[in-house]
Amino acid sequence: MLARRFRFLDMLDSQQTVRIFISSPGDVAEEREGARRVVEGLRHVYPGAQLQTLLWEELALPATASFQETIDILLDQEPIDIAVFILWSRLGSPLGAAVTKADGTPYRSGTEREFDLMLTAFEQSGQKRPVILAYVRQDNAGLLERFNEANTSQWEELIEQRKLAESFVVEHFHDAEGRNLRAYQTYQEPIGFIQRLRVHLRRSLDDLLQVESAATWEGEPYRGLQTFDIEHAPIFHGRDEETCDLLQRLRDQEQSGCAFVVIVAASGSGKSSLARAGVAANLVQSAGVDEDVRWHVASFIPTLAERGLFDALVGSLCEALPDLADSAESRQEIAEGLQENASLAVKLSIVPRFKAADKPIRLLLILDQMEELWTDRNTTEDARESFLNAIKALAESGHVTVLATMRSDFYHHAQTSPTFLRLKGKLGQFDLTPPDTASIQRLITEPARLAGVGFERNEKTAKSLDQVIWDDASTDTDALPLLEYTLAELYQQRDEQRGVMMFASYVELGGVEGAIGKRADETFGSLPADAQAALDEILPLLVSVDTAGEQSGVRRRATVADLTSTPAQKTLMETLIAERFLTTDREGETPVASLAHEALLRSWKRIVSWINTNRENLRLRARVEQQQQRWEQQDRDESLLLAEGLPLDEGRQLRDEASYLLSDSTIDYIQASISQHEKQTR
């Protein structure tokens, strides 16, 4: 019987049935129903597979055997591919002496028995299946409500069941020191579980069905340097947990009375793609599955507001909800109302439109590139504060959820706005960190699989191209746009007859680094002459050399103000940032920028040539700057000025031959050293 129960199918056919077993006590009935609806909603995503949900309430249970014995028999008939366990306040009832563990002790409940069966199946299949997903609800308010609804005679049982559930989690997911042995997810409410389950099931199904699966994505599977939007959700990978966390954060903010969250991260980190292809797509796809609400999405970028912030905002809202205004005059009235008295305008002109809808609807407003409210010269402080008041009124309406994105180097500007601080509150900021290496792997492989394209394998090394790209990319998780560009280029140059991306193309591109150089040359060539000439002016601020070893070029940060001191420099900087060759951040309260990837120092021929021409002076500058830093840290101690001999001679050489490489403070340091030497000589 065990051999039949745990047999593992190594080969998948195009019509494979994937069996998803849902195990849980009776206190999470809403989650069980939600899980069933999630599986139903995923069936159209995997047309080559039959997704079958196994829930005990839907099984044909004969009266000739006990409840648990019948479930064992049914599980014995076919192997389980995915097992989902849900726990909250109950573990379930004991099974009695008829069903015991291998050591003869009784099971505390059917849930514990089923978990044991799935672990055994997992080991006997070579740790391949079932995929075990565990979820634990952390909802003290809901637990208190259960106590309030129960009779006092039931309290003892409720407390005992809660203890059993907690002890089960401790025993099966933690070791004696409290370290995690197995992973499990936590959630606060049924909708949080359902949204996480959808994301995790998709990831599990992608892995299970990758041996044989028909292409389901038509068109290019990689976006290059472009943003992923809602329609690109199937090929958007690597941000699963961030999507779930953001959905939960938005719900928390809604419950607090202001449904607003801003994603804060460096340029090029994928903020916009996460907001659109992650969060927005998840909400749109959840219609009829997570809840009965139908979601609409509006997007708004401040600098694209040619008609003014308020007119453009209302235009975006009406594009997502055409019934919001029936004429240009009506739109104008709403815009003027938002500007004059936002709360009243939302209450009188916007909220009634939601209440009049046939079915419950909500709106997700994506306020993309929010930093432009501070960088756009056409936006005055009064206009910005008034606009933020309108956003706050929308987020407090109970019908609109606002998800904003902001570059971290401009966040300190936003902190000066009282309205912004009230808008985000304590939990309205979401700091986005780089993806881990496992997420990078999914970003590389999953879009190709969905497009029916593979990666060429090197017969000598037995390594496939995706493994090589992963090795190259996982050392620098900050260069997501550059990796996407490389993958897009490989797809364009694929062998269509064999349906694979090739090593030869990757070598020709020069790997991720080579692709960067090629794209950089194309971008640079499109600039006007004065902006091209400005490259030599900003490179001294962005490039240094390693004073040890081979003295290779390295990136350095510079303030944005220093990099944009002329109109030509500003044009060049804006282009390089827009094309993701420069990333921006902040040091304390100061906006800074740096080259997105050190590969530019090796693969962009213009920079390579500039470094070779200036390498010796760059080396001297690095040494002088090290001394200068010590001098400044020690309150300009005269003993730390450049000493007579080679150090002072190098300083003079820099001042006379390469002053264009030096900052004013470095020139002052060299001059102070020369003056000190002349004073001593006299």
Side-chain angles (χ1 to χ4, degrees):
M1 179 178 289
L2 286 177
R4 292 202 314 274
R5 174 182 293 147
F6 304 125
R7 66 181 181 273
F8 172 67
L9 301 179
D10 292 317
M11 298 301 294
L12 304 175
D13 59 59
S14 60
Q15 292 297 319
Q16 179 195 3
T17 297
V18 179
R19 293 168 180 82
I20 304 171
F21 178 60
I22 311 295
S23 174
S24 67
D27 59 333
V28 287
E30 190 174 348
E31 286 91 325
R32 292 172 64 81
E33 171 60 19
R36 182 187 62 77
R37 287 187 290 169
V38 166
V39 175
E40 286 181 358
L42 288 175
R43 283 176 180 145
H44 76 278
V45 181
Y46 302 92
Q50 298 179 4
L51 307 184
Q52 179 182 354
T53 308
L54 300 179
L55 298 126
W56 62 262
E57 59 266 32
E58 297 180 355
L59 299 175
L61 303 179
T64 54
S66 71
F67 178 84
Q68 190 62 47
E69 288 173 333
T70 304
I71 291 182
D72 287 357
I73 292 171
L74 292 172
L75 295 181
D76 171 56
Q77 292 175 353
E78 295 290 350
I80 299 301
D81 300 291
I82 301 174
V84 179
F85 290 85
I86 316 166
L87 287 173
W88 179 27
S89 63
R90 291 182 56 83
L91 186 62
S93 303
L95 298 182
V99 183
T100 60
K101 299 179 184 178
D103 60 3
T105 58
Y107 283 103
R108 287 172 291 186
S109 73
T111 300
E112 187 175 36
R113 163 70 172 170
E114 291 153 7
F115 191 78
D116 194 10
L117 289 176
M118 295 302 107
L119 285 179
T120 304
F122 180 73
E123 293 299 327
Q124 293 195 4
S125 71
Q127 297 190 342
K128 295 180 179 179
R129 34 177 108 173
V131 176
I132 300 177
L133 303 174
Y135 299 86
V136 178
R137 181 169 170 177
Q138 295 181 343
D139 180 12
N140 290 333
L143 189 61
L144 181 60
E145 186 177 343
R146 285 179 60 85
F147 271 89
N148 291 335
E149 293 175 350
N151 297 324
T152 54
S153 60
Q154 298 174 312
W155 287 359
E156 185 175 347
E157 181 192 4
L158 288 174
I159 294 172
E160 179 61 26
Q161 281 291 326
R162 175 65 172 173
K163 290 180 178 178
L164 285 175
E166 291 177 340
S167 63
F168 175 85
V169 173
V170 170
E171 292 171 14
H172 289 82
F173 293 92
H174 301 279
D175 62 14
E177 285 74 34
R179 295 186 296 264
N180 285 344
L181 289 173
R182 302 182 181 92
Y184 65 92
Q185 297 285 330
T186 60
Y187 68 98
Q188 297 177 12
E189 54 205 340
I191 187 174
F193 158 76
I194 294 167
Q195 289 176 333
R196 287 184 182 273
L197 179 65
R198 182 193 299 108
V199 172
H200 298 152
L201 278 182
R202 287 199 60 177
R203 186 166 59 194
S204 300
L205 289 167
D206 287 346
D207 293 338
L208 286 173
L209 299 173
Q210 65 183 348
V211 177
E212 296 232 3
S213 60
T216 58
W217 179 260
E218 296 181 2
E220 298 185 8
Y222 300 105
R223 294 288 293 157
L225 300 179
Q226 301 179 62
T227 299
F228 288 81
D229 217 323
I230 294 176
E231 63 267 25
H232 306 115
I235 56 172
F236 179 69
H237 291 272
R239 291 296 195 182
D240 299 341
E241 295 308 317
E242 291 87 345
T243 298
C244 293
D245 291 343
L246 267 170
L247 288 166
Q248 182 62 56
R249 187 72 64 85
L250 287 169
R251 288 194 300 274
D252 291 342
Q253 286 290 86
E254 179 185 352
Q255 292 174 3
S256 71
C258 186
F260 173 89
V261 172
V262 57
I263 306 171
V264 179
S267 174
S269 58
K271 302 180 294 297
S272 298
S273 295
L274 174 59
R276 297 167 185 264
V279 176
N282 193 291
L283 291 174
V284 170
Q285 294 166 2
S286 69
V289 178
D290 296 353
E291 50 189 342
D292 295 329
V293 174
R294 185 173 68 237
W295 282 86
H296 297 260
V297 179
S299 60
F300 179 82
I301 299 177
T303 54
L304 299 182
E306 297 180 1
R307 305 188 305 272
L309 288 174
F310 292 93
D311 287 345
L313 174 61
V314 173
S316 297
L317 298 178
C318 291
E319 186 175 346
L321 297 170
D323 293 338
L324 194 61
D326 53 11
S327 66
E329 292 77 10
S330 178
R331 293 187 181 188
Q332 184 65 31
E333 289 177 4
I334 296 175
E336 292 175 357
L338 288 174
Q339 188 168 8
E340 295 171 4
N341 189 327
S343 297
L344 185 61
V346 168
K347 181 179 179 180
L348 298 180
S349 301
I350 294 179
V351 170
R353 303 300 197 277
F354 285 90
K355 292 182 177 180
D358 296 336
K359 295 181 179 180
I361 62 173
R362 282 188 65 88
L363 177 69
L364 175 69
L365 172 62
I366 298 176
L367 178 51
D368 208 358
Q369 302 175 36
M370 189 181 185
E371 68 275 357
E372 293 178 355
L373 292 173
W374 285 267
T375 61
D376 185 9
R377 296 178 180 176
N378 297 320
T379 303
T380 65
E381 181 178 354
D382 289 342
R384 178 172 59 248
E385 291 301 301
S386 180
F387 180 78
L388 289 174
N389 268 318
I391 296 298
K392 186 171 181 291
L394 288 169
E396 293 175 341
S397 69
H399 299 278
V400 180
T401 294
V402 183
L403 180 59
T405 70
M406 180 183 292
R407 279 177 18 201
S408 55
D409 53 319
F410 286 100
Y411 182 71
H412 69 287
H413 289 303
Q415 287 179 303
T416 64
S417 166
T419 309
F420 172 78
L421 294 178
R422 290 194 301 270
L423 177 61
K424 78 177 189 68
K426 294 181 179 179
L427 297 176
Q429 177 181 336
F430 185 89
D431 293 315
L432 181 63
T433 57
D436 57 26
T437 55
S439 297
I440 291 288
Q441 184 181 35
R442 290 181 57 79
L443 182 155
I444 295 169
T445 58
E446 284 306 308
R449 183 187 66 80
L450 292 171
V453 179
F455 295 86
E456 193 174 40
R457 181 174 293 276
N458 188 318
E459 298 299 333
K460 294 182 180 179
T461 64
K463 258 193 170 185
S464 63
L465 177 57
D466 61 296
Q467 292 174 302
V468 174
I469 298 172
W470 183 41
D471 290 342
D472 293 345
S474 59
T475 58
D476 188 351
T477 56
D478 291 324
L480 289 181
L482 309 177
L483 172 60
E484 274 288 326
Y485 176 77
T486 304
L487 292 167
E489 285 292 297
L490 287 172
Y491 178 78
Q492 288 287 340
Q493 301 175 28
R494 70 192 183 282
D495 185 330
E496 294 191 38
Q497 186 173 1
R498 292 190 295 155
V500 296
M501 290 179 274
M502 301 175 293
F503 274 102
S505 300
Y506 191 63
V507 172
E508 184 180 350
L509 286 170
V512 175
E513 299 181 2
I516 293 170
K518 180 180 177 182
R519 176 65 174 173
D521 273 332
E522 293 173 354
T523 300
F524 185 78
S526 68
L527 289 168
D530 61 339
Q532 291 186 12
L535 181 64
D536 286 348
E537 300 171 5
I538 69 171
L539 283 178
L541 303 174
L542 296 171
V543 180
S544 186
V545 295
D546 185 0
T547 56
E550 299 179 359
Q551 298 174 358
S552 56
V554 294
R555 292 177 294 176
R556 61 187 282 171
R557 291 175 179 266
T559 66
V560 172
D562 288 340
L563 292 167
T564 56
S565 57
T566 68
Q569 289 179 2
K570 190 173 186 297
T571 299
L572 174 62
M573 281 286 295
E574 289 176 347
T575 301
L576 293 179
I577 290 174
E579 294 294 333
R580 309 293 178 87
F581 295 118
L582 283 179
T583 59
T584 56
D585 209 327
R586 73 175 189 269
E587 291 181 352
E589 299 299 317
T590 304
V592 295
S594 65
L595 292 168
H597 201 287
E598 288 195 349
L600 285 164
L601 305 178
R602 302 184 292 272
S603 300
W604 191 3
K605 294 180 181 179
R606 293 180 184 276
I607 295 184
V608 171
S609 175
W610 185 87
I611 291 175
N612 288 336
T613 300
N614 294 278
R615 188 181 303 276
E616 177 60 18
N617 285 328
L618 288 170
R619 182 186 67 82
L620 296 180
R621 183 185 72 171
R623 292 175 58 175
V624 169
E625 286 178 340
Q626 288 177 353
Q627 284 295 106
Q628 175 192 350
Q629 186 178 23
R630 293 184 59 201
W631 175 64
E632 291 175 345
Q633 290 174 345
Q634 298 298 322
D635 296 326
R636 303 194 170 201
D637 186 335
E638 290 185 353
S639 66
L640 295 176
L641 292 168
L642 295 173
E644 183 180 359
L646 181 60
L648 193 58
D649 291 343
E650 290 177 344
R652 284 197 180 96
Q653 179 180 335
L654 278 173
R655 184 196 63 177
D656 297 339
E657 300 178 7
S659 60
Y660 60 90
L661 293 176
L662 306 178
S663 66
D664 291 342
S665 62
T666 302
I667 292 175
D668 291 343
Y669 174 67
I670 293 173
Q671 190 58 51
S673 300
I674 294 173
S675 298
Q676 173 71 4
H677 170 67
E678 291 174 348
K679 178 181 178 181
Q680 291 175 344
T681 301
R682 288 194 299 270

